[in-house]
Amino acid sequence: MAIDHNAQIEEFKNKLPGHVKLLVWRELNSLASLLEEDEELLQLAGGRYQGKQGLVVATDRRVMFVEQGMMRSNLEDFPYGRISSVQTNKGMIFSEITIFASGNKAHVDQIAPKETGAVLGDLIRANLREPSGSGVTNSAPAADSALDKLKKLGELRDSGVISDQEFEHQKQRLMGEL
């Protein structure tokens, strides 16, 4: 089912402070073309990765860093299946996240608004999956993990970070893991 990415982007864009929108307007304008037809946008924020200002995006499939300059564009994405963990820090003005994936780490700092760093971290944690072929045969840990993810999603919804629609979509996906 095709998702109206432009409507999703507009909804998140309206939540961004004016100075952040100003810094990432090129990235916001190009984001819809980077998403797959049925990929759902979960969260976005401004941030800096490898010294470049851009847009940090969490979808139902991956985390992306999008940087769109006048003469260049850069996209780095981290599929949830390859992410082993995430670390978040919140400072006085900005927050930061460090994503550990496939033996590497990606550090994104100057995340604004600063509350979004923790939200991104929680969304990433909620979407982490066991690597395929891990040899896990006991279904109880997977069920516990899915229940923990549902609890975290409920907390995100209750605090107003994600909408009821976003919660329902993620809940349906997680129910399939039980």
Side-chain angles (χ1 to χ4, degrees):
M1 180 169 83
I3 295 176
D4 184 356
H5 291 124
N6 290 321
Q8 280 189 324
I9 293 166
E10 193 63 32
E11 179 182 337
F12 282 104
K13 183 176 164 182
N14 290 333
K15 295 177 186 177
L16 291 175
H19 72 283
V20 175
K21 283 188 248 187
L22 184 62
L23 290 172
V24 297
W25 67 272
R26 285 187 181 106
E27 290 83 359
L28 288 166
N29 289 337
S30 68
L31 183 57
S33 68
L34 302 174
L35 298 170
E36 295 177 23
E37 184 176 302
D38 59 344
E39 186 173 16
E40 184 172 355
L41 184 63
L42 301 177
Q43 186 67 46
L44 55 84
R48 188 176 67 167
Y49 177 62
Q50 296 181 339
K52 306 273 198 249
Q53 188 68 37
L55 192 63
V56 185
V57 180
T59 75
D60 60 344
R61 298 179 188 172
R62 59 190 167 153
V63 179
M64 299 187 293
F65 184 80
V66 181
E67 189 256 328
Q68 187 76 38
M70 289 182 66
M71 302 295 284
R72 70 187 182 289
S73 64
N74 294 311
L75 168 67
E76 183 144 0
D77 65 347
F78 307 92
Y80 291 122
R82 298 204 175 163
I83 297 175
S84 57
S85 66
V86 64
Q87 179 182 9
T88 59
N89 294 307
K90 182 176 170 184
M92 290 186 70
I93 300 173
F94 299 112
S95 59
E96 55 189 45
I97 62 173
T98 304
I99 299 170
F100 298 89
S102 302
N104 295 314
K105 72 177 185 175
H107 183 75
V108 181
D109 62 3
Q110 294 188 6
I111 295 175
K114 73 178 177 181
E115 295 79 19
T116 312
V119 172
L120 285 165
D122 288 344
L123 284 169
I124 293 167
R125 287 181 195 98
N127 281 288
L128 292 181
R129 296 182 180 90
E130 288 294 325
S132 61
S134 65
V136 176
T137 56
N138 183 352
S139 63
D144 289 344
S145 178
L147 290 173
D148 290 341
K149 291 176 185 177
L150 279 170
K151 182 180 175 185
K152 286 182 182 179
L153 280 171
E155 291 169 0
L156 290 171
R157 180 201 56 205
D158 294 344
S159 65
V161 172
I162 62 173
S163 70
D164 289 337
Q165 179 185 14
E166 293 165 330
F167 171 78
E168 286 302 320
H169 175 76
Q170 290 299 316
K171 180 176 105 176
Q172 292 303 317
R173 187 184 59 76
L174 288 171
M175 294 300 284
E177 293 181 20
L178 293 176

